[in-house]
């Protein structure tokens, strides 16, 4: 009996000295999901840009500009004298509304209410953040944003669904420097 116990202990001792082996995944996936996602997103972007181009082609009354950031815009009211546009850390007061490309109202400017935003330090959808950087005080600009520049795949979880391009009419009321704005609040 002692002999069996000693052999069992010796066997366990020998087996326990073995280095651990890496576990292999039960299933292995290729990069096909990522490739399918890329293809799907490219198709969505192309369709949305075609919709926007059709709107631009059918509107001969306005001069549209293409942003290097992937959206289009035109001026409702343009300031030709001022040169100051918002920079990182500036505080801007603005108002905006959102509609679909078909013209259906999503949010009115009354629902959103005038906003105060510190440039690049707070959450704001990327197209609007980039669009504000193009504006001067007193200007009103209408932006046409593909969904990836607006609310993207997730939408806003309220009224804007997945992959919805939007038109946003934005009025920039005031640009002030961050420390200037804080001094006004302290007084």
């Amino acid at each position: 009996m002692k002999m069996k116990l000693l052999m069992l202990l010796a066997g366990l001792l020998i087996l326990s000295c073995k280095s651990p082996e890496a576990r292999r995944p039960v299933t292995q996936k290729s990069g096909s999901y990522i490739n399918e996602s890329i293809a799907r997103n490219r198709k969505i972007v192309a369709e949305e840009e075609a919709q926007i181009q059709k709107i631009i082609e059918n509107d001969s009354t306005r001069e549209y500009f293409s942003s290097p950031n992937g959206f289009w815009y035109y001026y409702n009211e343009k300031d030709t004298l001022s040169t100051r546009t918002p920079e990182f850390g500036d505080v801007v007061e603005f108002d905006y509304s959102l509609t679909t490309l078909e013209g259906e109202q999503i949010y009115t400017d009354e629902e959103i209410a005038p906003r105060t935003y510190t440039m690049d330090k707070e959450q704001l959808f990327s197209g609007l953040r980039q669009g504000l950087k193009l504006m001067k005080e007193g200007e009103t600009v209408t932006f046409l944003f593909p969904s990836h520049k607006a609310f993207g795949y997730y939408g806003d979880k309220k009224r804007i669904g997945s992959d919805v391009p939007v038109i946003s009419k934005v009025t920039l009321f005031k640009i002030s420097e961050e420390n200037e704005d804080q001094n006004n609040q302290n007084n």
Side-chain angles (χ1 to χ4, degrees):
M1 181 78 162
K2 285 186 180 184
M3 188 58 122
K4 286 185 181 178
L5 187 60
L6 282 174
M7 286 182 69
L8 182 63
L9 286 175
L12 285 174
L13 190 64
I14 290 172
L15 290 175
S16 66
C17 294
K18 185 179 172 187
S19 63
E21 287 186 32
R23 296 186 312 175
R24 302 279 179 230
V26 176
T27 60
Q28 293 183 359
K29 294 188 177 187
S30 66
S32 65
Y33 173 76
I34 293 171
N35 294 336
E36 290 169 10
S37 178
I38 290 170
R40 177 187 164 279
N41 288 336
R42 285 184 178 160
K43 182 181 175 191
I44 290 170
V45 168
E47 288 171 357
E48 292 175 358
E49 287 181 356
Q51 283 179 296
I52 291 171
Q53 288 302 322
K54 189 174 181 180
I55 291 170
I56 292 170
E57 289 169 8
N58 292 336
D59 185 2
S60 61
T61 61
R62 296 181 179 96
E63 181 181 4
Y64 285 83
F65 300 92
S66 175
S67 164
N69 295 310
F71 57 86
W72 293 261
Y73 62 99
Y74 63 86
Y75 288 92
N76 301 78
E77 294 178 36
K78 185 173 182 170
D79 182 353
T80 57
L81 302 176
S82 177
T83 58
R84 186 166 194 275
T85 57
E87 296 176 9
F88 178 82
D90 285 348
V91 177
V92 294
E93 291 178 34
F94 67 99
D95 205 358
Y96 71 103
S97 62
L98 292 173
T99 61
T100 64
L101 293 183
E102 293 78 26
E104 297 172 26
Q105 195 73 46
I106 301 171
Y107 292 107
T108 64
D109 53 351
E110 290 87 19
E111 289 177 292
I112 296 172
R115 291 206 40 181
T116 301
Y117 168 73
T118 304
M119 294 300 296
D120 298 325
K121 291 188 176 185
E122 297 177 42
Q123 287 287 359
L124 195 61
F125 70 88
S126 69
L128 184 54
R129 185 174 60 242
Q130 294 162 343
L132 284 168
K133 292 177 183 178
L134 301 172
M135 297 179 70
K136 301 171 199 154
E137 276 186 12
E139 288 186 332
T140 300
V141 178
T142 299
F143 296 98
L144 289 81
F145 296 119
S147 64
H148 67 278
K149 285 294 174 182
F151 294 89
Y153 177 75
Y154 294 104
D156 74 343
K157 298 189 169 77
K158 295 175 188 164
R159 297 185 194 169
I160 302 173
S162 178
D163 298 319
V164 176
V166 297
I167 297 174
S168 181
K169 185 175 179 182
V170 182
T171 302
L172 181 59
F173 298 116
K174 183 178 176 186
I175 303 171
S176 57
E177 293 183 22
E178 185 177 29
N179 56 8
E180 174 186 319
D181 196 56
Q182 288 175 347
N183 288 341
N184 290 340
Q185 290 176 357
N186 292 336
N187 291 335

